[in-house]
Amino acid sequence: MRHAIALLWLASLVIGHLGGCIRAERADGRARRASGDLRGAVVTHGTHRGAHEGTQGRALTGPAKASERAEDEQALAVQPAGGAPVRASGRRPVLLVTDPEALAWWAGEGYGFGALVLKRSSERLSDLDHPRLRAIVTTLAGDLRRIERADPRAGVGMRHAHRLFDLRWLRSTATRFELIGVANRLDREVFSEGRCGETRLIYRLAYATKAGGHPFGSRLPMTVNVVFWQHAAQPSPQAGPTGPTGPTGPTGPTGPTGPTGPTGPTEQSGQATCRQVARRWLVPEGMAGVELARALSAPGGPLERALLAGGALKSIEVNVQSVRWPSTIRPDMAGHAEYVLRVFHPSGRGLVAAPLENTPDVARLRTSPGLRKQLLGWLRDPGNLAGLDGATIAMPERFAARLSTSVTPLGFGRLANRPFSQLFAPADFEGLDLAGLRHARSPVALLRRLDGLSCGGCHQTRSTAGFHLLGEEPKDERLDALALPRSPHLDGELVRRAQFVRAVAAGAPADATRPLSDRERVQGGYGSHCGLGDPGLVAFACRPGLVCQALADPDMGTCLPPGPPGAGDPCEVGRLKRHRHPHRDRVVGHRAIPCARGGVCNDNRVGFPGGSCTDACGGTVDGEACGLIPALHPFNMCVARGEPFTHCVESTASPAAMRACDREHPCRDDFICARAPHAGGVCLPPYFLFQLRVDGHVL
């Protein structure tokens, strides 16, 4: 354990007096989380605390909070045709619950992965011998073997240059799938013919053990999304999956709003409608915690157990970091990591790997010109353009992959995350009439829309290291803790979903279309995406005081302050030479940019994608917060003596100023908002958090 942790930090921390920013916590905090002692607040759209509470240093610069609140309030209103906005008085739609108190209550009431999905009394993975779990483990084992066969440097453990996910974690007595979120996806109604969208329970792999005789635990970079159909009436046990990946046909809905209109099935005598389903998710303002969990699970609530039984299970979706290379191995790109994305459908008592929605099988299509031509014809069909523009149509399954691998860092700059761009070029869409579309108004924008609809493209757009939901942390935990539980992309999505649910609940027309995956709630703010000149992307502009700077993405830049870079800004940028095979991607021609006020540039070699300026805490300015940086040699000597990991951080750290972050001020791509020592958050690379990397964990 001592050697593993020492190597972990040797590979991550900045050489010299600056390193990865880590926060201190009590040694037993993570173990309490792993055992289920969770506390916190409900996180659902429209019920967030002030973004600047407790931020160290001066106030963050950015958009006025009043305008952001007005934007949120507008999202919660419904505009019926020809009428004034309508609100469900005193009630709000539940869109996403990440409140640890509510989740812990659900876990104790039979909503844990073992109890709900496998019908087992234990949640320890070592006790969950079931055909469904075996199917997931067997499939992932095959995926990892393929990586290992193709890469002689890949293997489990810190002694390997390329560190693989340890499959033994899925059979360990120390691990379990921890419930981190419950999502209302009524907006997916367009893909669920005869049903009313989906309910999703999201779990994350976690463990509790001892390190040096002290309780220790962590989450791991693997999420399991358990998806249930939302039925207007209680489903029959024989019901099976339908929609774009089920037996209703390979293409799913026949138009941009589905076969039955924008709000689902027409009302029938004695049968609940999608309007009534939407109303199940409306709760009184202020309802939170266990009270909220009880209300949603009560008879007639959307999480009533009868609604999650029998044929209600649609799919189980897995996202796992399969391999990670440290920055010492890929110094030009600040490291490299890959994520396996899989979808499984129920089959008897087991599961079978299923086609991925809107994700083409690139390898198969590249070797089959006729099949590729058929796909291009389907994409160019004028009857499909509106659905593609609004993201309300599914590609026929005969073109789809059953495995997607996404990569970080540099997101959409890398072809591995853009499957359609590996098959087609903007010239393939010349001559199409795109002028009347909202989101794909040029061939470049259309291709970006297609890539964003794929599993890998979606998970690498304004995400948190390939994830959109990672879960809340115990309030008193400062080390290895996220300040924000969800990605900027998901924050923007919640605004759209609120509008949809309120419209359906009010009986008003509901718009199921989605903006491009780049769209976020604080659009045009620091770190958000901006167009680099293509006419189809002109809507993506920076707010006053920021400029659009080209980094790795060929279509979109990043909104950043002009002039010399301050804390958190990029300070070592180059040109990405991209390839279909991500291992052959290279960043060349690195250019160092001096940091403002004499700050220090933490470069790509030590794990900071694009570099990141760090300043002294004594002179923090707007947009900065003070974090802790451990001195490399004293920290490693402390760990080598066998002292607790958290004690070594606390005893060897010194302060430094970094980019401050909160919900109103997300970090730029390839950085996460992690908790600062006292309050607030700071931006740092995701793999500096123990919980977001596969290497270094010893169970």
Side-chain angles (χ1 to χ4, degrees), residues 180-244:
I180 62 165
V182 173
N184 168 16
R185 295 305 309 273
L186 184 77
D187 62 293
R188 293 272 304 169
E189 178 264 336
V190 68
F191 295 115
S192 54
E193 183 179 359
R195 294 175 171 85
C196 303
E198 303 163 0
T199 298
R200 299 184 174 188
L201 282 77
I202 303 98
Y203 302 85
R204 190 159 169 209
L205 186 60
Y207 69 88
T209 184
K210 287 188 175 182
H214 295 269
F216 182 76
S218 179
R219 288 169 175 166
L220 291 158
M222 176 181 183
T223 59
V224 178
N225 182 18
V226 181
V227 184
F228 296 92
W229 295 113
Q230 289 199 111
H231 291 269
Q234 183 173 333
S236 66
Q238 291 77 32
T242 63

Side-chain angles (χ1 to χ4, degrees), residues 33 180 202 204 219-223 464-465 467-473 482 484-487 490 672 691-692:
R33 177 177 69 190
I180 62 165
I202 303 98
R204 190 159 169 209
R219 288 169 175 166
L220 291 158
M222 176 181 183
T223 59
T464 303
F467 297 98
H468 288 301
L469 182 66
L470 288 166
E472 292 204 35
E473 314 275 5
L482 291 159
L484 299 176
R486 58 186 186 258
S487 70
L490 179 52
I672 54 139
Q691 60 171 287
L692 291 177

Side-chain angles (χ1 to χ4, degrees), residues 155-189:
V156 172
M158 299 290 291
R159 64 188 178 89
H160 295 276
H162 305 163
R163 291 85 182 258
L164 284 174
F165 180 88
D166 191 342
L167 204 64
R168 293 172 297 179
W169 293 339
L170 299 182
R171 294 297 191 195
S172 171
T173 59
T175 56
R176 79 187 198 287
F177 287 126
E178 176 186 351
L179 183 63
I180 62 165
V182 173
N184 168 16
R185 295 305 309 273
L186 184 77
D187 62 293
R188 293 272 304 169
E189 178 264 336

Side-chain angles (χ1 to χ4, degrees), residues 114 118 154 173 193 250 263 275 386 498 551 582 588 591 614 618 642-643 669:
L118 308 181
T173 59
E193 183 179 359
T263 59
R275 180 180 183 184
L551 296 177
V588 298
R591 176 172 57 91
T614 308
E643 298 185 38
D669 286 349

Side-chain angles (χ1 to χ4, degrees), residues 309-378:
L313 178 64
K314 176 203 172 189
S315 60
I316 295 178
E317 305 172 356
V318 173
N319 183 5
V320 57
Q321 186 184 112
S322 53
V323 64
R324 193 188 81 85
W325 305 6
S327 59
T328 52
I329 303 300
R330 285 306 310 268
D332 62 316
M333 295 176 60
H336 168 81
E338 299 176 9
Y339 296 81
V340 164
L341 301 168
R342 285 280 194 180
V343 171
F344 299 88
H345 282 172
S347 176
R349 296 185 67 240
L351 299 169
V352 294
L356 303 177
E357 187 175 286
N358 288 320
T359 302
D361 188 334
V362 174
R364 183 162 56 92
L365 288 162
R366 287 183 62 84
T367 58
S368 178
L371 195 62
R372 177 188 175 278
K373 184 177 180 180
Q374 290 177 36
L375 176 57
L376 180 59
W378 185 85

Side-chain angles (χ1 to χ4, degrees), residues 38 66 90 116 121 145 152 154 203 230-231 259 275 289 334-335 340 358 378 430 480 488 569 579 593 649 662 666:
L38 304 172
L116 186 64
S121 59
R145 280 195 299 269
Y203 302 85
Q230 289 199 111
H231 291 269
R275 180 180 183 184
V340 164
N358 288 320
W378 185 85
E430 293 291 346
D480 195 32
D569 296 341
H579 193 273
I593 308 172
V649 174
D662 55 29

